[in-house]
Amino acid sequence: MPTSRSTDGSRRTRRHRGSLSADDIIKGAFDVAQGMSLDKLSMPGLAQHLDVGVTSIYWYFRKKEELLNAMTDVAVEKFVRMMPPLTPDEPWQRALSEHFTAQRRIFRDDATLADLMLIRTSTYSRNATRRVFELEEGLLALLIGQGFTPENALHVYNAISVYTRGIVIHDRILRLSYTPTLGAGHGRQRRMTSWESMPILDSLIDHYPLAGTSDEDFTFGVGRLLCGFEQLLAEQDRGPAPAGG
Amino acid sequence: MPTSRSTDGSRRTRRHRGSLSADDIIKGAFDVAQGMSLDKLSMPGLAQHLDVGVTSIYWYFRKKEELLNAMTDVAVEKFVRMMPPLTPDEPWQRALSEHFTAQRRIFRDDATLADLMLIRTSTYSRNATRRVFELEEGLLALLIGQGFTPENALHVYNAISVYTRGIVIHDRILRLSYTPTLGAGHGRQRRMTSWESMPILDSLIDHYPLAGTSDEDFTFGVGRLLCGFEQLLAEQDRGPAPAGG
DNA sequence: ACCTGAACACCGTTCAAGT
DNA sequence: ACCTGAACACCGTTCAAGT
């Protein structure tokens, strides 16, 4: 009984020194994650994809978490490069709208990026943190330049940022939960059966998606936030809260 | 060399029929998840907690996922019961604010509930879906009763719902990533070192939390959304978009 | 310095029983 | 009908080597 052979019975030839690098591993990890999904990325699976022994990976990354952190760094770099640059003196409404619309599109189109940057529990490296904060700093400067106080600018940025993350993550989770599990057919249910006693939802269900993660939903949410920000700016100009007692 | 004994060498006595039930298992699973976290809930660990053989669980739940789905059902039930009932004729701003503030508090105080209902990729059971939609229906009725069109009511609900989920999930993920990993000390970094070239963030960092998930942030975000909704309602009353070409 | 298989502890799950 | 251990395939990780 042969025990630890490859499935096809072939045995790899030993790789020569320097034939593997940390970058190769990260690259391969992205390939595997793109093909399946991030949480199906396993060290043995990755090793097979790279055609190396599993333990070779551990020379470069002492924990799987280290590898994921390295991937997150690369993801942040990718993300920052894909984001459109700020147009100076652009109206803040347009700047915010474009920034977060782009952000949503990027994460929607690249699930691995979203998993690494938004869903996985990780702390960014100094460099990744810096790159992300530089983007934020740019938007804050733009907001402040057009009249927001620094505190309000920060709150504005956080609010729309959290909203965007919320819609991306919710959308991702919905997408995952409806992915046919290969076994097919035994999902818990396809459709609600009884809308009785819920006439409003019943009447809306045919024309609107329920989940609230559609383009229309996103546009609506961003629109309402921007509207609320405008009011804030107006109130800020009208009557700055009297300082001191 | 003894191989498959309990750690302490003791061997359980066989349990009698009917000494275990699906509810016992679900209850035990919540206990274990509360103690650690949901993704550290393992079948062997749960079996040990219940003092049964691992395989006994499989008589009641044929997959771990089935158990998690059952837990989600219970979670939804808990959640719905913890939510404050709607006060009829309450101003919609207050109703929305109270509803989603309560929701945020519940998920913040019970991480397992948040993990099951918000973060885990699952499809709700018919009953759970119904309970959640009943809550939504109530709020929609209130909004429509105070002037919103059904479509706008739905958009309003979705927007504030996504924002709340976003802040809960983001907060949960931040909390997880800062949990000392028991190994202690080798987190990636404690603090940003160089805020050079980011004067705005540098000046804000001392007085405001960066993450955007504080109570203040939540109040701000909800406030801006409500403000945006008010404008929408005003515009809706003022000039309903002319129908047809 | 780099690459490797054997080995270990752990997990989810199946199976063929025991009562 | 319910409970069980043995066993399997898989995973993350360590170790003691090989080159």
Side-chain angles (χ1 to χ4, degrees):
Chain A
M1 271 179 230
T3 47
S4 68
R5 290 263 184 123
S6 325
T7 315
D8 60 352
S10 72
R11 185 174 287 176
R12 267 183 306 94
T13 57
R14 188 185 182 92
R15 316 243 323 201
H16 58 281
R17 286 213 302 211
S19 67
L20 186 62
S21 73
D23 284 344
D24 291 341
I25 294 171
I26 294 171
K27 175 73 165 54
F30 270 100
D31 291 343
V32 173
Q34 229 89 57
M36 338 267 296
S37 82
L38 188 67
D39 50 68
K40 278 181 185 157
L41 172 68
S42 78
M43 300 302 263
L46 175 55
Q48 192 169 335
H49 174 79
L50 293 168
D51 193 36
V52 295
V54 204
T55 45
S56 302
I57 301 172
Y58 281 85
W59 197 87
Y60 294 90
F61 302 98
R62 283 148 59 187
K63 300 259 168 199
K64 186 184 185 182
E65 200 194 341
E66 266 186 36
L67 172 58
L68 289 172
N69 285 341
M71 289 177 74
T72 305
D73 258 38
V74 173
V76 168
E77 208 62 37
K78 270 195 202 176
F79 169 77
V80 169
R81 269 201 294 269
M82 286 173 89
M83 284 294 285
L86 274 185
T87 315
D89 301 323
E90 194 177 18
W92 61 267
Q93 295 93 329
R94 219 176 122 73
L96 284 180
S97 175
E98 282 186 356
H99 180 92
F100 287 99
T101 300
Q103 184 162 326
R104 171 165 178 263
R105 186 180 37 72
I106 291 170
F107 284 130
R108 172 189 275 258
D109 292 351
D110 191 335
T112 306
L113 241 53
D115 285 348
L116 285 169
M117 292 181 59
L118 261 36
I119 296 177
R120 187 177 84 95
T121 127
S122 69
T123 43
Y124 287 7
S125 69
R126 310 146 225 69
N127 191 56
T129 311
R130 154 167 281 276
R131 297 304 299 267
V132 168
F133 273 133
E134 279 169 357
L135 275 182
E136 181 171 345
E137 175 89 8
L139 273 177
L140 292 178
L142 190 143
L143 288 167
I144 295 168
Q146 297 183 34
F148 284 94
T149 66
E151 296 78 21
N152 280 337
L154 182 64
H155 280 137
V156 160
Y157 178 90
N158 280 337
I160 194 168
S161 175
V162 161
Y163 175 75
T164 305
R165 295 172 68 115
I167 216 166
V168 168
I169 294 181
H170 190 187
D171 187 65
R172 174 100 185 95
I173 288 174
L174 284 178
R175 208 177 297 282
L176 280 173
S177 83
Y178 283 128
T179 297
T181 329
L182 238 74
H186 56 289
R188 296 190 89 191
Q189 94 245 335
R190 302 279 144 191
R191 274 181 172 278
M192 266 292 271
T193 36
S194 59
W195 289 99
E196 68 209 30
S197 87
M198 303 197 288
I200 301 169
L201 283 164
D202 187 31
S203 73
L204 286 168
I205 199 72
D206 290 331
H207 304 293
Y208 294 88
L210 20 49
T213 65
S214 68
D215 285 346
E216 192 183 338
D217 280 300
F218 181 68
T219 304
F220 177 89
V222 168
R224 291 309 90 204
L225 279 170
L226 291 180
C227 179
F229 300 155
E230 279 172 358
Q231 288 287 117
L232 174 71
L233 188 57
E235 283 163 25
Q236 205 188 262
D237 292 345
R238 203 159 50 235
Chain B
M1 269 178 236
T3 48
S4 68
R5 289 258 184 129
S6 322
T7 315
D8 61 351
S10 72
R11 185 174 285 177
R12 266 183 305 95
T13 57
R14 186 184 184 92
R15 317 244 322 203
H16 57 281
R17 288 213 301 210
S19 67
L20 187 61
S21 71
D23 283 344
D24 291 340
I25 295 171
I26 293 171
K27 177 73 165 55
F30 270 100
D31 291 344
V32 174
Q34 229 90 56
M36 337 267 295
S37 81
L38 187 68
D39 50 70
K40 277 180 185 157
L41 171 68
S42 76
M43 301 302 264
L46 175 55
Q48 193 170 335
H49 175 80
L50 293 168
D51 194 36
V52 295
V54 205
T55 46
S56 302
I57 302 173
Y58 282 86
W59 197 88
Y60 295 90
F61 302 98
R62 283 149 56 188
K63 300 259 168 198
K64 187 183 184 183
E65 200 194 341
E66 266 186 34
L67 172 58
L68 290 172
N69 286 340
M71 290 177 74
T72 305
D73 258 39
V74 174
V76 167
E77 208 62 37
K78 269 195 201 175
F79 169 77
V80 169
R81 268 200 295 268
M82 288 173 87
M83 284 295 285
L86 274 185
T87 316
D89 300 324
E90 192 177 19
W92 61 267
Q93 294 95 330
R94 221 175 121 72
L96 283 180
S97 175
E98 282 187 355
H99 180 91
F100 287 100
T101 301
Q103 183 162 326
R104 171 166 178 262
R105 187 181 36 72
I106 290 170
F107 285 130
R108 173 189 273 258
D109 292 351
D110 190 335
T112 306
L113 241 54
D115 285 350
L116 285 170
M117 292 181 59
L118 261 36
I119 295 178
R120 187 178 85 96
T121 127
S122 69
T123 43
Y124 287 8
S125 69
R126 309 145 226 69
N127 190 56
T129 311
R130 154 167 283 278
R131 297 304 298 266
V132 168
F133 274 132
E134 278 168 358
L135 274 183
E136 180 171 344
E137 175 88 9
L139 272 178
L140 292 178
L142 191 144
L143 288 167
I144 295 168
Q146 296 183 36
F148 285 94
T149 66
E151 295 79 19
N152 280 337
L154 182 62
H155 281 137
V156 159
Y157 178 90
N158 280 338
I160 194 168
S161 176
V162 161
Y163 175 75
T164 306
R165 295 172 68 113
I167 215 165
V168 168
I169 294 181
H170 190 187
D171 188 64
R172 174 99 184 95
I173 288 175
L174 283 178
R175 207 175 299 281
L176 278 173
S177 83
Y178 284 127
T179 297
T181 329
L182 238 73
H186 56 289
R188 298 191 88 194
Q189 94 245 337
R190 303 280 143 190
R191 274 182 172 277
M192 264 294 270
T193 36
S194 60
W195 289 100
E196 69 210 30
S197 87
M198 303 198 288
I200 301 170
L201 283 163
D202 186 30
S203 72
L204 287 167
I205 199 71
D206 290 330
H207 304 292
Y208 295 88
L210 18 50
T213 65
S214 68
D215 285 346
E216 193 184 337
D217 281 300
F218 182 68
T219 304
F220 177 89
V222 169
R224 289 311 88 205
L225 280 170
L226 291 179
C227 179
F229 300 155
E230 278 171 359
Q231 289 287 116
L232 174 72
L233 188 56
E235 284 164 24
Q236 206 189 260
D237 292 345
R238 204 159 50 236

